[in-house]
Amino acid sequence: VALPRIFALLPNFPNPFNPETVLRLHLPERGSVELHVYDAAGQKVRSLLAGALAAGVYTAVWDGRDQTGREVASGTYFAQLRAGNRVQTRKMTLLR
C-alpha cells in the first residue's frame, strides 16, 4: 500500500449526516496527531484521536455525541486535524 504524499483531512461522508459520519485522514509521516470536533461557538465537543500515528491513511467515525456520550443538537460542527505544525479543518452538518 502506497503511503500518502500530502497531509489531508478529507471531507466527511455523508454530509449532512445522521447518526454518524466518517472522517478520512492522510498522514505522510509519523507524528503526534489530534482530531477534535468543535461546535459553531468554537467549544470542543469531542476528541476522536490523540496520540502518535505512523504514516498512512486512517478513518475516524463521529457518532454525533459529545465527550460524555450525550447526543449533540443538530447544527454545524467542525472537525480539526492537527499534526505537528499542520492544521486542517472541515465543516460538517448534523441533522437530527
Side-chain angles (χ1 to χ4, degrees):
V1 176
L3 293 176
R5 293 181 183 210
I6 60 167
F7 170 82
L9 174 61
L10 287 90
N12 62 302
F13 182 81
N15 193 25
F17 70 97
N18 180 13
E20 66 183 27
T21 191
V22 177
L23 298 150
R24 293 178 295 147
L25 34 141
H26 291 187
L27 303 173
E29 58 193 38
R30 178 179 177 76
S32 180
V33 175
E34 294 180 357
L35 178 60
H36 303 294
V37 176
Y38 296 90
D39 64 18
Q43 300 296 311
K44 188 187 301 182
V45 173
R46 179 95 178 257
S47 294
L48 299 177
L49 289 172
L53 290 176
V57 176
Y58 294 89
T59 59
V61 176
W62 183 42
D63 60 3
R65 296 178 183 271
D66 67 13
Q67 201 66 35
T68 64
R70 292 181 298 206
E71 289 185 344
V72 298
S74 294
T76 300
Y77 294 87
F78 298 89
Q80 185 175 78
L81 176 64
R82 291 182 174 270
N85 62 354
R86 294 176 278 196
V87 178
Q88 220 172 19
T89 304
R90 293 287 181 175
K91 183 177 172 181
M92 307 180 291
T93 302
L94 171 59
L95 295 177
R96 294 247 182 241

